[in-house]
């Protein structure tokens, strides 16, 4: 169980215990996880294909949506296949370095998603408050740079997690009561002092979530002022309707994320541990599942593009036969 370096007490592997207390229900718990994952893959990959295929969707708003879909796909793929292996085949062992890698990617993509939601709020702010300058402000190079900076911000902030976690001694064992390697779940297995991990985790949350939420709040405050000042009720309704999908995505993402964060660091002793584990999984799986559905239902251009794409494929198939 313990690697060759006895002074650091580094385990060779961890054991992910799934959902403690609900081991008998693992198969039943896995079913919604599996179907949500399939929906997430089909929905997000389909959106990316649609945005790249349809000329009408080649706009800044949809480029950011494609970036969100790509992030969502990567985020849930870092955990769900491993979770299903635990539930279906009882494959609970994960190599120590593989656990650190999973932890890195989980937090990197979740931080990137928060950043992309902020960029989408800024996109709506420019589109509604400066409509005439919208195409000149949000050019393709600007969008590419914004996406790259958002991803690099996440990478640079999350890299220290791996080093802070790797330096800890693990003399209390190697069993993690979770379905995947989360930073604080791994750190709490250690017999060492995890105060630095907790403080740095809080700092990252402030630099990512709090900063992004503040930017989103300011953007929507300015949007609200602009929309209220419009004289036409139709114009107000149209402006608001372009934001509803994004607002739904924000709610779906941040509510389970904040629940997971606060229960990890500020007690959560009154909340059953299995509830915490399930919500932590939904935090990574619910946004990728729901975002394509929300945007598909709420966005008329996406609906029309889907219909056009399927009708085009159907007519092409008919002409060949």
């Amino acid at each position: 169980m313990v690697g060759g370096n006895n002074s650091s007490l580094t385990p060779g592997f961890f054991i992910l215990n799934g959902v403690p207390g609900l081991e008998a229900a693992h198969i039943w718990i896995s079913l919604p996880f599996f179907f949500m994952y399939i929906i997430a893959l089909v929905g997000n990959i389909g959106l990316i294909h649609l945005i790249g295929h349809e000329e009408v969707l080649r706009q800044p708003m949809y480029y950011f949506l494609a970036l969100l879909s790509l992030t969502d796909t990567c985020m849930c793929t870092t955990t769900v296949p491993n979770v299903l292996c635990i539930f279906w085949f009882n494959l609970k062992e994960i190599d120590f370095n593989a656990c650190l890698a999973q932890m890195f990617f989980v937090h990197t993509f979740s931080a990137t998603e928060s950043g992309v939601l902020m960029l989408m709020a800024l996109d709506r702010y420019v589109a509604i408050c400066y409509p005439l300058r919208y195409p000149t402000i949000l050019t393709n190079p600007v969008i590419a740079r914004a996406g790259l900076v958002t991803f690099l911000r996440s990478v640079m902030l999350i890299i220290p997690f791996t080093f802070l976690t790797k330096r800890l001694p693990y003399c209390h064992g190697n069993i993690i009561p979770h379905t995947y390697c989360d930073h604080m779940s791994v750190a709490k297995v250690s017999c060492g002092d995890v105060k630095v991990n907790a403080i740095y985790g809080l700092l990252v949350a402030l630099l990512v979530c709090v900063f992004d939420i503040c930017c989103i709040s300011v953007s929507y405050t300015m949007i609200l002022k602009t929309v209220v000042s419009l004289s036409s009720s139709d114009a107000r309704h149209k402006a608001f309707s372009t934001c509803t999908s994004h607002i739904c995505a924000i709610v779906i993402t941040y509510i389970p994320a904040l629940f997971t964060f606060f229960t990890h660091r500020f007690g959560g002793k009154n909340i059953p541990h299995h509830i915490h584990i399930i919500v932590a999984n939904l935090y990574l799986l619910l946004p990728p599942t729901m975002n394509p559905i929300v945007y598909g239902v709420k966005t008329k251009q996406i609906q029309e593009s889907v219909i056009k794409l399927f009708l085009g494929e159907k007519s092409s198939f008919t002409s060949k036969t």
Side-chain angles (χ1 to χ4, degrees), residues 47-92:
L47 262 180
I48 294 170
H49 171 74
L50 194 68
I51 292 167
H53 185 271
E54 292 296 317
E55 188 73 31
V56 71
L57 298 181
R58 292 176 187 174
Q59 302 175 30
M61 171 184 173
Y62 299 108
Y63 289 146
F64 285 125
L65 178 56
L67 183 58
L68 181 68
S69 293
L70 178 62
T71 304
D72 279 342
T73 302
C74 294
M75 185 171 68
C76 63
T77 300
T78 58
T79 59
V80 177
N82 189 51
V83 172
L84 293 177
C85 285
I86 294 171
F87 288 162
W88 290 348
F89 310 113
N90 205 35
L91 299 176
K92 297 182 177 183

Side-chain angles (χ1 to χ4, degrees), residues 40-321:
L41 286 182
V42 172
N44 286 293
I45 294 173
L47 262 180
I48 294 170
H49 171 74
L50 194 68
I51 292 167
H53 185 271
E54 292 296 317
E55 188 73 31
V56 71
L57 298 181
R58 292 176 187 174
Q59 302 175 30
M61 171 184 173
Y62 299 108
Y63 289 146
F64 285 125
L65 178 56
L67 183 58
L68 181 68
S69 293
L70 178 62
T71 304
D72 279 342
T73 302
C74 294
M75 185 171 68
C76 63
T77 300
T78 58
T79 59
V80 177
N82 189 51
V83 172
L84 293 177
C85 285
I86 294 171
F87 288 162
W88 290 348
F89 310 113
N90 205 35
L91 299 176
K92 297 182 177 183
E93 290 186 10
I94 182 169
D95 181 78
F96 178 77
N97 291 320
C99 183
L100 294 183
Q102 185 184 57
M103 180 184 70
F104 169 77
F105 286 116
V106 164
H107 292 293
T108 295
F109 287 124
S110 59
T112 301
E113 179 168 42
S114 176
V116 173
L117 288 174
M118 177 194 66
L119 293 178
M120 294 175 81
L122 295 175
D123 165 76
R124 291 299 82 206
Y125 164 70
V126 175
I128 293 173
C129 298
Y130 302 98
L132 298 179
R133 297 173 57 192
Y134 180 60
T136 58
I137 294 175
L138 290 177
T139 60
N140 288 348
V142 169
I143 294 169
R145 284 196 293 269
L148 180 61
V149 168
T150 300
F151 178 70
L152 291 178
R153 179 193 71 163
S154 302
V155 170
M156 297 306 294
L157 288 173
I158 301 304
I159 281 178
F161 278 161
T162 58
F163 296 104
L164 289 172
T165 306
K166 193 168 186 175
R167 71 179 176 85
L168 293 171
Y170 295 90
C171 48
H172 287 166
N174 63 345
I175 298 176
I176 301 174
H178 210 304
T179 54
Y180 62 86
C181 293
D182 170 81
H183 171 232
M184 288 308 298
S185 294
V186 176
K188 286 179 179 179
V189 176
S190 168
C191 57
D193 188 358
V194 298
K195 286 182 180 178
V196 176
N197 294 66
I199 292 171
Y200 185 72
L202 183 61
L203 179 63
V204 169
L206 291 173
L207 291 174
V208 176
C209 287
V210 174
F211 176 78
D212 292 348
I213 289 173
C214 286
C215 289
I216 291 169
S217 301
V218 171
S219 297
Y220 273 102
T221 300
M222 301 303 292
I223 289 170
L224 187 61
K225 288 182 179 179
T226 301
V227 171
V228 169
S229 65
L230 295 174
S231 57
S232 170
S233 60
D234 290 338
R236 287 196 295 270
H237 175 74
K238 185 177 180 181
F240 273 128
S241 65
T242 63
C243 299
T244 53
S245 300
H246 182 241
I247 293 171
C248 290
I250 291 170
V251 173
I252 292 167
T253 299
Y254 282 116
I255 287 180
L258 292 174
F259 176 89
T260 300
F261 174 80
F262 284 115
T263 53
H264 250 318
R265 286 163 179 80
F266 303 109
K269 294 180 180 179
N270 296 325
I271 301 172
H273 190 62
H274 62 269
I275 297 295
H276 170 76
I277 300 300
I278 291 172
V279 174
N281 280 274
L282 290 177
Y283 149 58
L284 298 178
L285 189 53
L286 192 61
T289 304
M290 294 304 299
N291 286 340
I293 296 173
V294 168
Y295 276 93
V297 171
K298 294 286 186 180
T299 309
K300 186 177 179 181
Q301 283 181 308
I302 291 179
Q303 294 175 3
E304 292 174 349
S305 297
V306 170
I307 294 171
K308 179 184 174 183
L309 183 64
F310 276 100
L311 288 178
E313 289 181 354
K314 184 177 179 180
S315 61
S316 176
F317 177 77
T318 303
S319 63
K320 288 179 180 179
T321 55

